[in-house]
Amino acid sequence: MVPKIVWVLLPLSLYALYVAVSTWRGRAPSRVALNVETSLLLIAYLLTTAGLGVFWVANQQLPVFDWHYLFGYCTLLLVSVHLVFNLPAVLRWLRHTPAPQAAGKDKRGPVAVGKALAVVAALGVAFFLGTRHGASEVAVRWTAAEAGAGPVDAVVRYHEFSSESRGRVFRRAPGVEWGAPPPAFKRYPDAPHVALARAKTREQGLGDALRAPAPRKERLSVAELGELLYLSAGITARRGGLALRASPSSGALFPSELYVAARKVDGLPAGLYHYDAEHERLEALGALPAALGAEDADALVVLSAVFRRTGYKYRDRAYRYAVADAGHLLENLRLAAHQAGMRATLVARFDEAQAARAIGIDGVEEGVLAVVELRRAAGRAPHEGAPPAARFAAPPAPADLSIGVTGMVHRATSLRLLPDEAGAGRIALPPPEPAAEGVSRTIIQRRSQRRFLDAPVPLPALSSLLADMAQPPQLSDAIRINLVVDRVAGLKPGVYRYVPGHALVRVHEGDFAAAARSAALSQDVIGDAAVVLVLSADRERMLAQGPRGYRHAYLEAGMLGERWLLGAVARELAACPVGGFYDDEAAALIGVDGRREWVLHFAALGWSAKE
């Protein structure tokens, strides 16, 4: 497939070739001719740019008045004015094309070509230097003598390196050649497949599903497995050429892939499968891999991320977004499993390299982020606690850095199985009210909303949302829930922290909507929200698990964020996750030391202002 940049540059390249050949033959175009011909090209590019801009803004629900769009609109306006002034000359030229100049009569042609080549050379040098300035290289100590110091150091340095501030935006360019975006769906064209006709499971209220699975004794059927996978990562809507999924993803890029190791699923032979969301089927990849373990589970779901799907757009912050996206998906998986009567248990410690080999991926461009065990709720509960820490060690330094710091931090948060082992006073919140809306309906209806009414959110609704989020941690107990309150009935505007005992502690009192908007890259969706959720992580508690704790924190934050989104939908509110923010301003907003507590996630809440 021809890269997009080739199509974009093709008209300009053909025109440049025409000018060069004409000049070489002694028929260099005059200044008027160059002005007219480039004006025609400008008209074509102007119409294409305007059309594509309107299309993507409309179909991706992008904020129309962000800074880059505003400058783009002004540029289009100035270009349009320029063309209006040049249009009479263009029309005259088209009606009365002058004869070509005789050879040898005008020596300005070679001079003009030389100037043009000099400009192109200068731009090429600037581009070459720009792509190498501030490259994605982080000096990390990673030696065996430093027992784990290398991976922890890598995580700390990665987070600092990928943090944004207003000044750093202009000081650093990515050092990885991410290339064109990879396909949105992974395919195994030669693999046998099993069609998934979804079986509608008994609808369980969201509030009940958050807390415990429905009782079940019989095996999961293949149709019920199809429903579970659909509610986790299936296509629930199509818009503007995009296949939107059941769980949200930064930039609608959807880097996550799901693999199923099925052991005891009625109607499905035991084996390893890949979930093809595009065609709603399972692709058979082979026999059950022994390396995944958990022989007593009915099935295992392995979640991986194709990092380039996110990296081509978000560059060095790709790992942050890909792992948070995985957390969103995992929470949907947990809820859908509970509704189906299956207990979903996230495996805290596993060997990434073994898991990658088991499902047939390289572990670099596509890496394993999580493993989930599925068991019938009436069956034996999994062993409490994680396996002994001595069984696992930090992995060796990465040899393949084809995706730069993204690959480095993924390796740093991975584990290797050892070879010898296989403020102010508390504000009590009103009693929460569990959401009665069904899991399937809630997940399918969920869409990010970016415009909100000025009406306040009821305090009982906010209380219920927070209670939904306050489930026992799945992987990390380092996550902290912070709120920037602007419009909540019965609660003064300010910044709050949610604490155990279902209460709030006020950190700052006053109007912080503008500060929240500024910290979130000046996005209106945050500035206009009635409430802004800000999830942070206690660095010391997070890294007490070693570098693996960094991944666990983002997965946990994604799961909490998904509870926020689904809880809002179930209560007829609107919500929108936001991954872009200035880390230093976000930490100052919630009143924490950014060196000791890292901000991971933003999400807006309010009443939808649907047109």
Side-chain angles (χ1 to χ4, degrees):
M1 186 175 181
V2 180
K4 287 185 288 187
I5 189 65
V6 174
W7 291 111
V8 173
L9 294 178
L10 183 61
L12 297 179
S13 302
L14 293 175
Y15 179 68
L17 179 64
Y18 157 74
V19 172
V21 171
S22 298
T23 302
W24 177 69
R25 296 178 62 187
R27 299 181 179 181
S30 65
R31 292 175 63 89
V32 175
L34 288 171
N35 178 50
V36 170
E37 290 160 358
T38 54
S39 293
L40 292 173
L41 280 171
L42 195 56
I43 291 173
Y45 275 85
L46 171 68
L47 295 175
T48 304
T49 301
L52 289 175
V54 170
F55 174 82
W56 287 114
V57 166
N59 286 284
Q60 291 201 43
Q61 295 182 321
L62 298 174
V64 182
F65 297 110
D66 273 2
W67 282 106
H68 53 293
Y69 290 118
L70 290 173
F71 275 104
Y73 296 145
C74 291
T75 301
L76 292 176
L77 175 63
L78 291 173
V79 171
S80 301
V81 172
H82 168 77
L83 290 173
V84 167
F85 281 112
N86 275 270
L87 196 57
V90 171
L91 296 175
R92 286 196 299 271
W93 177 265
L94 292 175
R95 286 197 298 265
H96 307 289
T97 304
Q101 296 180 0
K105 296 295 184 180
D106 190 348
K107 297 181 179 181
R108 292 177 298 175
V111 175
V113 172
K115 290 180 179 179
L117 291 176
V119 170
V120 171
L123 291 174
V125 171
F127 177 79
F128 178 83
L129 295 175
T131 56
R132 281 152 181 77
H133 173 66
S136 299
E137 297 173 358
V138 181
V140 178
R141 304 185 313 276
W142 200 313
T143 64
E146 295 178 7
V152 172
D153 187 46
V155 166
V156 173
R157 289 173 181 263
Y158 168 77
H159 191 82
E160 294 173 348
F161 184 83
S162 62
S163 295
E164 296 290 6
S165 64
R166 297 183 190 277
R168 295 186 71 178
V169 171
F170 300 99
R171 295 199 304 266
R172 189 182 70 236
V176 174
E177 179 53 55
W178 290 98
F185 296 95
K186 189 173 182 181
R187 297 180 175 89
Y188 292 87
D190 299 327
H193 62 266
V194 178
L196 292 174
R198 303 195 312 268
K200 187 69 174 178
T201 56
R202 182 179 62 84
E203 190 85 353
Q204 186 181 19
L206 180 62
D208 293 334
L210 282 168
R211 288 158 179 80
R216 182 189 187 97
K217 292 183 179 180
E218 67 278 8
R219 285 187 175 190
L220 193 71
S221 70
V222 65
E224 289 173 320
L225 176 63
E227 175 76 0
L228 190 154
L229 294 172
Y230 170 74
L231 295 177
S232 302
I235 298 172
T236 56
R238 293 184 182 271
R239 183 178 300 148
L242 294 175
L244 303 180
R245 317 291 179 85
S247 61
S249 172
S250 299
L253 299 174
F254 304 104
S256 299
E257 292 286 341
L258 295 182
Y259 301 81
V260 179
R263 288 194 176 90
K264 292 172 280 189
V265 178
D266 280 346
L268 187 66
L272 178 67
Y273 300 86
H274 170 256
Y275 177 54
D276 181 356
E278 184 180 24
H279 299 102
E280 206 162 341
R281 66 190 185 186
L282 291 174
E283 295 165 319
L285 303 183
L288 272 173
L292 292 177
E295 288 78 8
D296 62 331
D298 289 31
L300 287 172
V301 177
V302 180
L303 184 151
S304 70
V306 180
F307 294 117
R308 285 188 185 269
R309 285 185 194 160
T310 300
Y312 94 92
K313 180 175 182 179
Y314 292 114
R315 312 295 179 177
D316 293 327
R317 287 176 78 93
Y319 194 76
R320 294 186 180 207
Y321 294 157
V323 179
D325 288 352
H328 288 310
L329 189 156
L330 289 171
E331 182 63 12
N332 276 12
L333 174 61
R334 191 178 76 94
L335 290 169
H338 281 189
Q339 178 172 265
M342 303 296 289
R343 182 185 293 108
T345 306
L346 273 76
V347 180
R349 302 170 70 82
F350 59 89
D351 186 316
E352 272 77 6
Q354 281 191 6
R357 287 193 296 271
I359 63 175
I361 63 175
D362 65 358
V364 179
E365 297 280 336
E366 180 182 355
V368 176
L369 294 183
V371 176
V372 182
E373 300 173 357
L374 297 178
R375 293 177 176 83
R376 280 160 280 179
R380 181 175 61 84
H383 295 295
E384 295 294 330
R391 293 187 60 199
F392 292 91
D400 185 345
L401 288 177
S402 60
I403 52 175
V405 294
T406 301
M408 180 200 71
V409 73
H410 178 62
R411 176 62 68 91
T413 60
S414 297
L415 292 175
R416 174 172 56 95
L417 188 66
L418 294 178
D420 58 347
E421 297 281 349
R426 295 161 61 91
I427 301 172
L429 291 168
E433 300 175 0
E437 188 67 81
V439 170
S440 302
R441 183 176 175 83
T442 302
I443 290 177
I444 293 172
Q445 284 186 332
R446 184 215 57 77
R447 284 291 168 261
S448 297
Q449 302 293 331
R450 304 186 68 90
R451 297 179 178 87
F452 303 105
L453 299 174
D454 291 333
V457 169
L459 184 57
L462 178 61
S463 171
S464 300
L465 270 174
L466 293 171
D468 288 351
M469 298 178 70
Q471 306 298 307
Q474 297 293 306
L475 293 172
S476 175
D477 62 354
I479 305 302
R480 304 292 179 260
I481 298 174
N482 308 274
L483 302 174
V484 182
V485 173
D486 185 55
R487 301 183 303 279
V488 174
L491 196 60
K492 293 181 179 179
V495 178
Y496 296 83
R497 172 158 286 198
Y498 182 64
V499 295
H502 197 53
L504 295 176
V505 171
R506 185 181 297 115
V507 178
H508 300 299
E509 184 175 340
D511 183 358
F512 285 86
R517 183 200 306 264
S518 176
L521 312 186
S522 300
Q523 296 184 71
D524 289 341
V525 63
I526 294 297
D528 297 342
V531 183
V532 177
L533 170 71
V534 182
L535 297 179
S536 59
D538 183 298
R539 171 180 159 174
E540 182 177 357
R541 185 177 290 272
M542 173 175 57
L543 297 182
Q545 299 181 5
R548 183 54 159 261
Y550 186 71
R551 179 194 299 178
H552 285 176
Y554 266 102
L555 289 171
E556 193 78 43
M559 296 178 77
L560 265 70
E562 184 71 349
R563 290 176 209 158
W564 176 267
L565 302 178
L566 295 176
V569 172
R571 294 171 176 86
E572 299 184 349
L573 292 165
C576 179
V578 171
F581 51 84
Y582 296 115
D583 294 69
D584 52 352
E585 293 187 22
L589 172 68
I590 62 174
V592 299
D593 183 346
R595 295 168 298 181
R596 294 182 172 85
E597 191 164 330
W598 293 347
V599 175
L600 307 183
H601 187 71
F602 272 55
L605 176 75
W607 294 105
S608 175
K610 290 183 179 179
E611 297 179 358

